[in-house]
């Protein structure tokens, strides 16, 4: 009955933190409504999109994209549901208030829930890696596996903060619906399930609003896939979202007497505390805005894409990645300047209008040389999932030969693809395609405005395909509707 | 310093505490103290401010004016909270976890708690200790929460309606543990709707109404606030006649027995014997805590709670 009751040994405090972590983990493990979807859904989707569909199409790229996507999906659910639904429920049931009354060590509840969410992500990421290696036979480096794992495990934090914020606003009953209303749309809108290219430009532009977009781009860049925005920008956006939602949530909770972090407010003049609060809010908003504005910028991939050997399915000779590398590209940089009124190229098969009719589409396209430039116009239809219309050039092509037998060009020693473009103001893309027609090509977006503009594409940006085996270079669009653009002075040097 | 703390006689204190919720004043200058070694029962009608008073002492809410202290510290300080045990109303714990897990978790927050198994044994809840909380009855849930409240070897125990939903036997067992704890030197602050519980356990009763302390003292002292007596009898004198007698305050009739409330039992009895020599089954009772409460507070139903 004296002050010794106030003192508590460090090891006991540590044990209390540890005990809370175990408690939260046990609790969530025993809640199938939480544990089954968070652990199984990403794996299920990966089996479907990455293993079954990926190998059915003999396509390593698709498996890789699926791997990145469902890793992010696995990082979303434990954060959003673990913090959103459970917190709303426990707040409503008085459990949070009870924990304020007992001498729970500072922040233990939050820490335990965070660790719980991270452990769930660790389990699903690890399972994804194992499936990628042994089921999809993807060739991932150890570095890629480690980066993938930690990126997702840490990447759960912004979703924890977002979930927590929602959990402080809505009732336990409403929380699952609200969280799903966030979870599902942002998964689609940041391209976890469908390629961004099939979304309207307006939705593509706002993708950096979703934290999933930033985590996905980070993951893709690490795996050597196409990505936009620099890693710094994505990290800034994720950090900003974490701090912002977390501080908003804490603010809301403290209004109802719940202080999850500290004990008594340790004084400090009110204006100073206000200033600190405003500072935190300002900085996090700044980071977030930087991320949103810069999160879609073109970004040079620096990693080499991992590839897959497929799953033992034999691929036609000339289209397999085991095919011999292409003919080294000529030293001359100029491909075409259209000055002679022809769509001829200095090597290979000249530019020819191409659409998606062969793949069952209904897009139409026509091209002509106007004032020394190639004008391409037409209309992209909606008959197939990935429509396309534009103009294409086979650098090592021969007339009258099947696609599969067309030759490769080795561009690995070249640095930059450049051209001039103008048009109706829409966004277009230049694509480089490797061996198989159904692979996802390397793509680079550009806008064709009313004035001529120089576009330089570092070939590093196209590194998601094998630059030693380039079969096709196309300019065009996948966005449904009428289009018109001109290109000139196409160079590769 | 150590000695000063050991000698501390007031463990928790509210001084002139005001708390408003919007336009409603939950507390309007409440003074309250819990002394070492006592069991203080907080009674009063619904909405009197009992729960708000507890919230302030636990640091869950801050007084708008006045002060709340726990062991001479801010109630939010973790040092103060390590010396208390808490059983709150309207707390639903996770349905998938088990009483043993809850008790062990709560115990881990304290410097020198009781052994979890010892707590379970002391409360006689071995049978439910490893069952999912969600499947327990209301009374069993209260028992588990009581275990969480006492497991930290608290110096001061907050019990908010501890026996709601308990059967008579379990309630008796819980009362025994409460008495033992007080005997061992633990101080307790108890709010209850069952005045019987306050009468059975409390060393001191604090009556709260409209956010103020209206009376405090032992059960006897509180009862003495009212000099009323209850007389019951079987008599041929009609209720209307009785009501007309000047010493009679209230009359009612239930299954053939008249119930008379008076401040002057002797006069009424003399009059009654004079008017009806055949009067039978006379019983005179001092006012209970419920009567005292009814008289002290604005709540007309308080007496019927007993």
């Amino acid at each position: 009955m004296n002050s010794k009751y106030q003192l508590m040994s460090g090891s006991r405090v540590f044990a209390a933190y540890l005990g809370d972590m175990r408690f939260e983990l046990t609790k969530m493990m025993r809640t199938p409504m939480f544990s089954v979807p968070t652990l199984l859904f990403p794996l299920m989707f990966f089996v479907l999109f990455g293993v079954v569909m990926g190998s059915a199409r003999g396509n390593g790229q698709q498996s890789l994209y699926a791997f990145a996507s469902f890793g992010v999906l696995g990082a979303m659910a434990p954060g959003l549901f673990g913090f959103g639904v459970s917190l709303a429920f426990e707040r409503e049931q008085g459990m949070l208030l009870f924990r304020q009354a007992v001498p729970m060590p500072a922040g233990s509840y939050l820490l335990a829930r965070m660790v719980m969410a991270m452990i769930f992500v660790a389990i699903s990421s690890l399972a994804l890696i194992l499936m990628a290696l042994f089921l999809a036979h993807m060739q991932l480096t150890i570095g890629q596996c480690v980066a993938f794992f930690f990126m997702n495990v840490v990447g759960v934090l912004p979703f924890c903060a977002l979930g927590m914020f929602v959990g402080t606003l809505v009732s336990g009953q409403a929380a699952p619906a609200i969280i799903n209303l966030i979870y599902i749309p942002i998964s689609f809108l940041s391209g976890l399930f469908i390629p961004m290219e099939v979304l309207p430009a307006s939705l593509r532009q706002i993708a950096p609003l979703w934290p999933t977009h930033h985590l996905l781009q980070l993951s893709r860049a690490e795996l050597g896939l196409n990505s936009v925005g620099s890693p710094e920008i994505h990290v800034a956006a994720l950090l900003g979202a974490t701090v912002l939602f977390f501080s908003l949530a804490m603010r809301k909770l403290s209004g109802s007497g719940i202080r999850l972090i500290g004990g008594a407010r340790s004084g400090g003049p009110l204006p100073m505390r206000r200033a600190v609060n405003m500072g935190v809010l300002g900085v996090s908003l700044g980071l977030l805005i930087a991320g949103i504005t810069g999160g879609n910028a073109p970004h040079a991939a620096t990693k080499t894409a991992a590839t897959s050997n497929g799953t033992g399915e034999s691929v036609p000779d000339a289209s397999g990645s085991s095919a011999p590398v292409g003919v080294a590209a000529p030293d001359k940089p100029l491909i075409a300047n259209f000055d002679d009124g022809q769509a001829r190229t200095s090597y290979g098969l000249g530019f020819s209008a191409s659409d998606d009719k062969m793949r069952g589409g209904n897009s139409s396209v026509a091209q002509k040389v106007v004032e020394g430039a190639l004008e391409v116009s037409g209309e992209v239809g909606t008959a197939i999932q990935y429509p396309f219309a534009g103009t294409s050039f086979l650098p090592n092509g021969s007339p009258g030969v099947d696609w599969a037998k067309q030759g490769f060009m080795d561009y690995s020693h070249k640095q930059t693809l450049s051209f001039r473009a103008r048009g109706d103001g829409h966004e277009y893309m230049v694509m480089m395609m490797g061996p198989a027609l159904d692979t996802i090509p390397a793509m680079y977006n550009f806008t064709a405005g009313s004035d001529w503009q120089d576009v330089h594409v570092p070939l590093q940006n196209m590194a998601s395909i094998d630059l030693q085996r380039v079969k096709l270079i196309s300019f065009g669009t996948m966005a449904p509707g009428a289009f018109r653009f001109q290109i000139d002075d196409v160079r590769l040097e | 310093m150590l000695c000063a703390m050991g000698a501390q006689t007031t463990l928790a204190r509210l001084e002139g505490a005001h708390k408003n919720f919007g336009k409603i004043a939950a507390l309007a200058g409440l003074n309250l103290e819990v002394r070492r070694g006592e069991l203080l029962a907080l009674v009063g009608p619904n909405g009197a401010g009992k729960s708000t008073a507890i919230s302030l002492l636990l640091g869950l809410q801050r007084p708008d004016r006045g002060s709340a202290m726990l062991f001479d510290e801010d109630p939010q300080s973790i040092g103060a909270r390590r010396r208390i045990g808490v059983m709150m109303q309207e707390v639903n714990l996770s349905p998938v976890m088990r009483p043993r897990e809850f008790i062990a978790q709560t115990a881990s927050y304290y410097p020198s708690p009781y052994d979890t198994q010892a707590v379970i044994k002391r409360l006689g809840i071995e049978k439910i200790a490893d069952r999912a909380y969600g499947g327990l009855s209301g009374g069993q849930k209260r028992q588990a929460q009581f275990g969480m409240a006492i497991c930290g070897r608290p110096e001061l125990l907050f019990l908010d309606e501890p026996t709601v939903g308990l059967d008579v036997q379990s309630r008796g067992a819980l009362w025994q543990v409460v008495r033992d704890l007080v005997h061992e030197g633990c101080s307790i602050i108890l709010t209850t709707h069952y005045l019987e519980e306050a009468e059975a356990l409390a060393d001191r009763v604090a009556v709260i109404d409209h956010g103020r302390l209206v009376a405090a003292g032992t059960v006897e002292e509180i009862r003495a606030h009212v000099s009323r007596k209850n007389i019951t009898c079987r008599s041929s004198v009609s209720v209307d006649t009785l009501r007309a007698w000047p010493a009679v305050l209230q009359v009612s009739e239930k299954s053939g027995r008249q119930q008379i409330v008076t401040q002057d039992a002797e006069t009424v009895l003399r009059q009654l014997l004079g008017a009806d020599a055949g009067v039978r089954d006379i019983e005179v009772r001092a006012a209970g805590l419920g009567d005292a409460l009814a008289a002290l507070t604005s709540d007309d139903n308080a007496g019927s709670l007993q």
Side-chain angles (χ1 to χ4, degrees):
Chain A
M1 294 290 156
N2 55 45
S3 66
K4 81 175 177 193
Y5 283 100
Q6 289 171 281
L7 303 171
M8 190 154 161
S9 70
S11 64
R12 273 202 66 79
V13 173
F14 183 71
Y17 278 111
L18 224 58
D20 271 357
M21 288 174 200
R22 201 172 45 227
F23 188 87
E24 292 300 325
L25 191 65
T26 314
K27 187 158 78 186
M28 296 327 279
M29 284 292 187
R30 284 187 198 154
T31 311
M33 223 173 72
F34 172 80
S35 55
V36 171
T38 48
L39 290 178
L40 282 189
F41 279 7
L43 303 183
M44 239 169 58
F45 285 126
F46 180 68
V47 168
L48 188 65
F49 288 92
V51 180
V52 177
M53 283 169 67
S55 70
R57 301 171 70 187
N59 185 339
Q61 291 285 315
Q62 170 141 359
S63 300
L64 259 185
Y65 276 98
F67 183 61
S69 291
F70 300 123
V72 172
L73 194 76
M76 282 172 84
L80 283 177
F81 288 93
F83 269 79
V85 179
S86 309
L87 193 114
F89 178 73
E90 297 190 352
R91 179 177 53 89
E92 211 169 53
Q93 302 287 308
M95 287 178 223
L96 287 189
L97 210 57
F98 175 76
R99 286 185 170 238
Q100 301 306 297
V102 293
M104 176 184 75
S108 181
Y109 175 79
L110 278 185
L111 189 72
R113 299 225 121 224
M114 241 161 62
V115 170
M116 179 278 301
M118 285 173 144
I119 290 176
F120 268 84
V121 180
I123 296 172
S124 72
S125 292
L126 207 63
L128 275 176
I129 291 171
L130 292 177
M131 286 168 83
L133 292 175
F134 299 110
L135 224 56
H137 303 284
M138 286 160 57
Q139 291 176 343
L140 299 167
T141 64
I142 290 178
Q144 280 173 328
C145 292
V146 170
F148 175 85
F149 180 82
F150 282 104
M151 216 177 279
N152 288 328
V153 167
V154 176
V156 73
L157 293 180
F159 300 107
C160 290
L162 178 59
M164 187 175 161
F165 178 60
V166 175
T168 59
L169 293 182
V170 304
S171 71
Q173 284 260 307
I178 304 283
I179 293 289
N180 270 317
L181 267 180
I182 297 172
Y183 176 72
I184 297 170
I186 68 172
S187 304
F188 274 93
L189 292 178
S190 37
L192 292 190
F193 293 97
I194 47 172
M196 286 307 281
E197 286 72 24
V198 309
L199 291 175
S202 53
L203 287 180
R204 255 182 289 155
Q205 268 157 17
I206 59 166
L209 282 175
W210 326 123
T212 28
H213 168 83
H214 299 286
L215 191 57
L216 180 64
Q217 297 306 318
L218 278 177
S219 192
R220 283 188 179 173
E222 186 56 41
L223 293 170
L225 295 169
N226 268 345
S227 66
V228 291
S230 70
E232 295 78 20
I233 283 290
H234 295 309
V235 170
L238 292 170
L239 190 69
T242 308
V243 175
L244 180 72
F245 286 120
F246 181 73
S247 37
L248 288 177
M250 292 306 288
R251 217 183 151 83
K252 189 83 193 14
L253 284 176
S254 72
S256 45
I258 298 170
R259 323 165 305 274
L260 289 177
I261 295 191
R265 280 261 171 95
S266 58
L270 194 67
M272 209 174 101
R273 262 189 275 140
R274 282 233 173 98
V276 170
N277 284 343
M278 292 312 290
V280 168
L281 217 65
V283 169
S284 59
L285 264 175
L287 288 173
L288 200 58
I289 289 168
I292 289 169
T293 51
N296 244 348
H299 168 62
T302 49
K303 300 282 196 304
T304 321
T307 53
S308 155
N309 283 336
T311 48
E313 235 176 302
S314 67
V315 193
D317 52 349
S319 56
S321 56
S322 54
V325 300
V327 176
D331 284 340
K332 53 187 166 191
L334 184 71
I335 292 176
N337 60 13
F338 313 109
D339 286 348
D340 58 357
Q342 304 289 316
R344 271 207 302 258
T345 47
S346 65
Y347 55 88
L349 266 189
F351 279 100
S352 61
S354 55
D355 55 36
D356 53 17
K357 291 210 176 69
M358 257 176 67
R359 292 184 290 130
N362 60 350
S363 303
S364 58
V365 64
Q367 69 174 37
K368 59 185 172 192
V369 177
V370 182
E371 294 162 12
L374 182 64
E375 175 168 300
V376 186
S377 61
E379 185 159 355
V380 176
T382 52
I384 57 169
Q385 200 187 359
Y386 306 119
F388 176 81
T391 183
S392 300
F393 151 63
L394 294 163
N396 190 19
S398 333
V401 173
D402 271 6
W403 163 261
K405 301 233 171 80
Q406 296 288 2
F408 296 128
M409 185 64 69
D410 179 359
Y411 280 122
S412 57
H413 59 288
K414 300 267 184 177
Q415 306 298 320
T416 313
L417 167 68
S418 61
F419 53 94
R420 296 200 300 147
R422 68 175 178 179
D424 54 6
H426 287 141
E427 195 172 70
Y428 293 91
M429 56 182 142
V430 51
M431 304 191 296
M432 290 175 96
M433 199 173 264
L437 248 187
D438 58 357
T439 48
I440 296 175
M443 288 180 265
Y444 185 93
N445 291 333
F446 63 93
T447 304
S450 52
D451 295 322
W452 283 111
Q453 202 183 339
D454 288 316
V455 182
H456 297 274
V457 187
L459 284 192
Q460 279 184 333
N461 274 19
M462 303 303 221
S464 68
I465 67 149
D466 182 353
L467 287 173
Q468 292 183 317
R469 298 181 184 85
V470 175
K471 212 172 234 194
L472 178 83
I473 299 175
S474 294
F475 295 79
T477 176
M478 293 172 80
F483 69 91
R484 188 181 62 81
F485 67 94
Q486 296 181 349
I487 51 170
D488 200 357
D489 284 332
V490 183
R491 293 163 170 274
L492 243 163
E493 51 199 314
Chain B
M1 192 63 195
L2 241 149
C3 295
M5 246 175 213
Q8 199 173 49
T9 54
T10 300
L11 303 189
R13 177 190 287 129
L14 287 179
E15 267 176 5
H18 286 259
K19 184 73 191 176
N20 294 323
F21 296 109
K23 282 185 179 165
I24 300 162
L27 294 184
L30 179 65
N31 292 303
L32 190 70
E33 58 173 41
V34 190
R35 299 168 193 157
R36 182 172 293 286
E38 74 173 359
L39 191 150
L40 174 71
L42 221 53
V43 298
N46 286 331
K50 301 186 297 276
S51 297
T52 308
I54 297 284
S55 282
L56 294 192
L57 286 175
L58 290 174
L60 300 177
Q61 279 161 354
R62 297 298 215 177
D64 296 333
R65 270 193 289 144
S67 70
M69 300 294 270
L70 198 55
F71 294 97
D72 286 333
E73 283 187 74
D74 184 328
Q76 288 190 355
S77 86
I78 194 157
R81 283 186 286 134
R82 282 187 181 141
R83 300 167 76 172
I84 64 169
V86 185
M87 179 168 177
M88 286 164 62
Q89 260 192 91
E90 285 161 22
V91 171
N92 283 312
L93 302 170
S94 168
V96 296
M97 300 303 279
R98 300 155 190 170
R100 183 187 305 279
E101 291 164 336
F102 286 123
I103 294 171
Q105 183 196 27
T106 308
S108 77
Y109 298 155
Y110 290 90
S112 56
Y114 294 114
D115 173 61
T116 299
Q117 181 57 33
V119 172
I120 289 168
K121 219 174 144 195
R122 182 169 193 176
L123 300 186
I125 55 170
E126 293 95 334
K127 277 191 186 142
I128 61 161
D130 297 298
R131 279 169 49 190
Y133 186 80
L136 303 181
S137 73
Q140 291 168 332
K141 286 177 179 170
R142 292 308 278 165
Q143 287 178 314
Q145 292 189 23
F146 184 62
M148 293 162 75
I150 67 169
C151 67
R153 207 185 292 265
E155 284 175 70
L156 174 59
L157 185 58
F158 288 80
L159 298 177
D160 201 357
E161 300 287 351
T163 54
V164 172
L166 254 58
D167 59 42
V168 177
Q169 204 180 353
S170 309
R171 186 168 69 168
L174 192 141
W175 282 6
Q176 193 50 51
V177 177
V178 167
R179 285 197 190 97
D180 292 346
L181 286 169
V182 174
H183 187 70
E184 290 161 22
C186 178
S187 313
I188 296 175
I189 179 163
L190 167 94
T191 68
T192 180
H193 264 83
Y194 304 120
L195 295 172
E196 188 190 347
E197 190 160 278
E199 283 185 305
L201 298 173
D203 298 308
R204 216 156 57 86
V205 176
V207 183
I208 296 180
D209 192 29
H210 290 301
R212 284 199 189 82
L213 185 69
V214 292
T218 62
V219 173
E220 279 65 39
E221 284 167 349
I222 298 290
R223 274 194 194 138
H225 273 279
V226 277
S227 46
R228 296 186 196 194
K229 298 266 183 340
N230 293 325
I231 302 170
T232 48
C233 61
R234 284 181 201 279
S235 160
S236 57
V237 183
S238 77
V239 170
D240 290 331
T241 311
L242 288 170
R243 199 165 278 148
W245 294 353
V248 171
L249 294 171
Q250 282 172 32
V251 186
S252 59
E253 189 165 350
K254 208 161 119 190
S255 46
R257 287 167 70 100
Q258 287 89 3
Q259 300 188 338
I260 305 163
V261 180
T262 177
Q263 293 204 327
D264 187 355
E266 292 78 6
T267 304
V268 173
L269 282 173
R270 249 179 247 120
Q271 230 171 336
L272 190 61
L273 286 163
D276 177 12
V279 64
R280 289 172 298 131
D281 298 341
I282 298 176
E283 213 180 296
V284 181
R285 229 167 9 92
L289 192 55
D291 300 295
L293 207 57
L296 284 166
T297 69
S298 55
D299 188 354
D300 298 331
N301 295 322
S304 64
L305 282 171
Q306 192 172 14

